[in-house]
Amino acid sequence: MAESSYSNLATSHLLGSVPAVVNEDKKASYEVPEANMQIFPPNNGSGRGRSGGYQTLEAPTEGFEQQPPNNWKGVFSISSYTQYFNVDTDAVINRLISSFNPLAGDFFSKIDANPDLYGLVWITTTLVFLFASFGNCATYLMQKHNDSTTSWSFDVSYINVAAGGIYIYALVVPVAFYFLLQYLGSNASLIRFWCMWGYSLSIFIPTVFLLLIPVELLRWIIILIAGGASACFVSLNLKTYIEGNDLSLMVIAAFLLQLALAIFIKVWFFP
């Protein structure tokens, strides 16, 4: 009797009691109204062809896309040159092989689709370290060959001269030819000139190893052959590039400058 009386008591108000099950279908459903974002402050009629009131956000138009930078600003922006380092190993190897064939004269046609600056940076930096290290080794070998009792010390100035000479030549000479051709009314591309002059120096990389031979006459023969090949590569490709214009003086100047660089390498680093 007592148990049945307790079971009839209302327990919904007690803590811990289980609420009655509510039918989900009877729940009220609410729809969220569509949001309409607006810009603050409101447009007071100063917009182009827009009425007063708040402006509703719209998708950006094509005219809002990023505009290309100004030509002169692009020259001094590092991001403008990143695309010229996007080159694969096969392309670099093919261009290096082409630079060892100075009589072809078709280098610009091979790089026309994708000129790169990777070769310029890699070749010049390699030459700086090679001239500084192998130049000192060659001096040591020549001194020991002539007199084994003489003392020898490493010349640190070779690094400064190599960096200054090679970097300045590889950057400034193409710029000078670019502005000269522009002034004379010929179409020129500074990136293609940098690319061509950079690869023209690649022949000096194996030449450095041969210049370790402690025979002075043989050294001069080696450097003149390498310099002549590099000069022919530059002059013939430059002649092909400006074909149709009577600028033979520019071609001769490019040949002599490249040959002068080879003589400078021999006199300063491998005396």
Side-chain angles (χ1 to χ4, degrees):
M1 294 293 291
E3 293 179 358
S4 61
S5 61
Y6 287 125
S7 61
N8 293 329
L9 294 176
T11 58
S12 59
H13 65 283
L14 298 177
L15 292 176
S17 61
V18 179
V21 177
V22 181
N23 191 354
E24 297 294 336
D25 297 335
K26 294 182 179 180
K27 284 186 176 181
S29 60
Y30 298 94
E31 294 183 359
V32 179
E34 184 179 356
N36 186 16
M37 299 183 67
Q38 296 175 339
I39 298 177
F40 186 85
N43 188 359
N44 295 325
S46 59
R48 299 178 182 177
R50 294 179 182 266
S51 59
Y54 289 93
Q55 306 175 42
T56 304
L57 289 177
E58 300 175 352
T61 59
E62 293 181 358
F64 188 72
E65 294 178 357
Q66 185 177 2
Q67 299 295 328
N70 185 273
N71 290 336
W72 284 110
K73 290 182 180 179
V75 172
F76 299 102
S77 175
I78 297 177
S79 60
S80 301
Y81 300 98
T82 54
Q83 58 179 320
Y84 300 112
F85 290 88
N86 186 19
V87 59
D88 55 15
T89 306
D90 293 336
V92 173
I93 292 175
N94 290 333
R95 293 171 185 184
L96 285 172
I97 295 173
S98 299
S99 66
F100 283 85
N101 184 15
L103 302 179
D106 59 347
F107 187 78
F108 282 112
S109 63
K110 294 181 179 180
I111 67 170
D112 188 58
N114 184 27
D116 71 278
L117 296 178
Y118 177 82
L120 171 70
V121 174
W122 178 79
I123 292 170
T124 52
T125 304
T126 302
L127 286 176
V128 168
F129 285 100
L130 288 178
F131 288 154
S133 56
F134 282 74
N136 277 281
C137 290
T139 305
Y140 170 78
L141 292 175
M142 286 296 294
Q143 289 184 2
K144 291 298 180 181
H145 179 72
N146 296 329
D147 187 5
S148 59
T149 60
T150 57
S151 60
W152 174 85
S153 60
F154 187 87
D155 193 351
V156 184
S157 64
Y158 276 26
I159 300 176
N160 299 328
V161 176
I166 298 301
Y167 286 138
I168 290 175
Y169 182 88
L171 293 175
V172 174
V173 171
V175 171
F177 275 86
Y178 168 76
F179 281 110
L180 282 173
L181 290 174
Q182 290 281 0
Y183 176 77
L184 296 174
S186 179
N187 188 21
S189 171
L190 180 58
I191 298 298
R192 287 172 174 80
F193 279 7
W194 271 335
C195 180
M196 189 266 292
W197 254 280
Y199 281 99
S200 72
L201 302 176
S202 62
I203 194 171
F204 292 110
I205 294 178
T207 303
V208 169
F209 294 90
L210 297 176
L211 290 175
L212 289 177
I213 302 174
V215 179
E216 186 65 13
L217 179 60
L218 187 57
R219 282 183 174 182
W220 275 108
I221 295 174
I222 292 171
I223 196 64
L224 289 177
I225 292 175
S230 181
C232 288
F233 174 80
V234 171
S235 58
L236 292 178
N237 282 286
L238 188 62
K239 181 180 179 180
T240 304
Y241 187 82
I242 60 177
E243 190 175 5
N245 299 320
D246 188 14
L247 298 173
S248 56
L249 188 61
M250 300 280 291
V251 176
I252 296 174
F255 181 91
L256 293 177
L257 280 174
Q258 204 77 0
L259 197 60
L261 175 65
I263 296 174
F264 166 76
I265 293 171
K266 168 64 182 70
V267 172
W268 187 269
F269 299 102
F270 303 92

